[in-house]
Amino acid sequence: MSRSPRRVRAVINADHVGRLESLAEAASARLPDVAEPLLAKLATARIVTSRQMPADVVTLGTALTYRDDISGREQDVTLVWPEEADIGRGAISVLTPIGIALLGLPVGGNVSWMTRTGHKRALTVLRLGVVSEAA
């Protein structure tokens, strides 16, 4: 009997929750495909103080390397607030499907999600603290 992967419960910094909720609520009318998953993640996440935030979990401002589990390609990115996003520099907005997928994920954690175009994607966080030269 095969076992399905264990769902990883997101861990989110309490200092970010209010702003994340505001972003999701503001986006709910024009971007429900990102607002709803973000609100769902916040509703089920373990919320911790900044002092309790595990060092191996992706949060806002975290530089990380992940592997695209479909293509096998590794990517260096930084998870940022929407106004800091710059895909050319590897700065991924938390208000995108991949940003929501990464938020609260620990090193070694994997997640799958649907892109805005309806394609299934999957990734695994490999390490934190690595930033590409472009970022």
Side-chain angles (χ1 to χ4, degrees):
M1 181 163 104
S2 68
R3 301 173 91 189
S4 61
R6 182 177 63 89
R7 285 190 71 97
V8 176
R9 185 175 179 200
V11 179
I12 299 178
N13 187 326
D15 294 344
H16 299 153
V17 172
R19 185 166 178 202
L20 289 167
E21 287 174 338
S22 294
L23 282 171
E25 289 167 8
S28 64
R30 61 181 171 43
L31 297 171
D33 58 323
V34 291
E36 291 169 12
L38 180 54
L39 288 171
K41 180 167 266 194
L42 292 171
T44 61
R46 183 167 62 100
I47 309 300
V48 300
T49 66
S50 55
R51 276 189 46 214
Q52 297 170 317
M53 191 70 194
D56 69 339
V57 171
V58 177
T59 189
L60 276 296
T62 300
L64 65 125
T65 301
Y66 72 85
R67 179 185 62 238
D68 180 312
D69 292 337
I70 296 170
S71 71
R73 181 173 171 239
E74 292 186 13
Q75 183 76 34
D76 294 333
V77 298
T78 301
L79 185 64
V80 299
W81 295 106
E83 67 274 10
E84 299 166 345
D86 182 345
I87 194 70
R89 290 188 21 224
I92 304 295
S93 171
V94 70
L95 201 56
T96 61
I98 191 170
I100 296 164
L102 287 167
L103 181 65
L105 202 60
V107 170
N110 55 35
V111 66
S112 59
W113 77 98
M114 296 300 282
T115 67
R116 290 179 175 160
T117 58
H119 293 94
K120 185 174 181 178
R121 304 299 304 175
L123 64 79
T124 299
V125 175
L126 300 176
R127 58 192 162 272
L128 303 186
V130 177
V131 183
S132 67
E133 290 190 23

